[in-house]
Amino acid sequence: MNLESPLFILPIIFGTVLLIGGLIQRIFPPKHINPLYGYRTKRSMENEINWKFAQIYSTKIMLFFALGFYSISFIGLFLNVNYILASIISLGLMFIFCVTIFVLVEKDLKKENCLKNKI
């Protein structure tokens, strides 16, 4: 068991940040479009429907990914990987997950807009 491995430390910290951020956003969701708090992109801020959808969906994804990072952290406890390689893997996974959150939410926002415009 390697408690000092970046493959344990970084995912558990990032998972905790996602968990706390997701819980805060779930408990205290932004009620109206604003430039400071919530999932803010051009598409999510187009109208109230997009805004509410983006807040709910991004929160679910953040909480799901937090569990994923806790799983990675648990696996990282038992892997004996070079410190630098473990750091690169951890940082790469964090980047991939951040991009994935935006891709998933934006894709579904676009789909919701298409469905809304066809009705």
Side-chain angles (χ1 to χ4, degrees):
M1 206 180 296
N2 190 357
L3 293 173
E4 295 178 4
S5 171
L7 209 47
F8 168 72
I9 295 171
L10 293 177
I12 205 160
I13 290 171
F14 192 65
T16 302
V17 168
L18 286 175
L19 181 66
I20 291 169
L23 289 175
I24 289 171
Q25 194 165 324
R26 185 172 205 118
I27 295 167
F28 306 107
K31 298 195 184 342
H32 303 288
I33 298 172
N34 69 77
L36 299 174
Y37 175 59
Y39 179 88
R40 300 172 319 275
T41 62
K42 185 177 178 182
R43 186 171 278 134
S44 71
M45 295 173 77
E46 276 180 5
N47 56 56
E48 284 292 324
I49 294 169
N50 284 6
W51 178 256
K52 289 181 182 181
F53 175 83
Q55 303 317 307
I56 293 167
Y57 191 55
S58 65
T59 300
K60 287 179 183 177
I61 293 173
M62 283 173 48
L63 293 172
F64 178 75
F65 283 176
L67 294 175
F69 269 95
Y70 286 135
S71 300
I72 292 167
S73 182
F74 180 73
I75 292 167
L77 271 175
F78 301 102
L79 295 177
N80 190 13
V81 181
N82 175 319
Y83 188 86
I84 293 174
L85 180 61
S87 298
I88 292 169
I89 291 169
S90 295
L91 293 172
L93 287 172
M94 289 190 301
F95 176 76
I96 289 168
F97 277 98
C98 286
V99 169
T100 303
I101 288 172
F102 285 103
V103 168
L104 290 174
V105 175
E106 291 300 309
K107 183 181 118 206
D108 279 4
L109 268 174
K110 188 175 183 179
K111 187 168 51 174
E112 283 290 312
N113 271 340
C114 291
L115 292 173
K116 182 179 67 178
N117 290 333
K118 287 183 181 179
I119 294 175

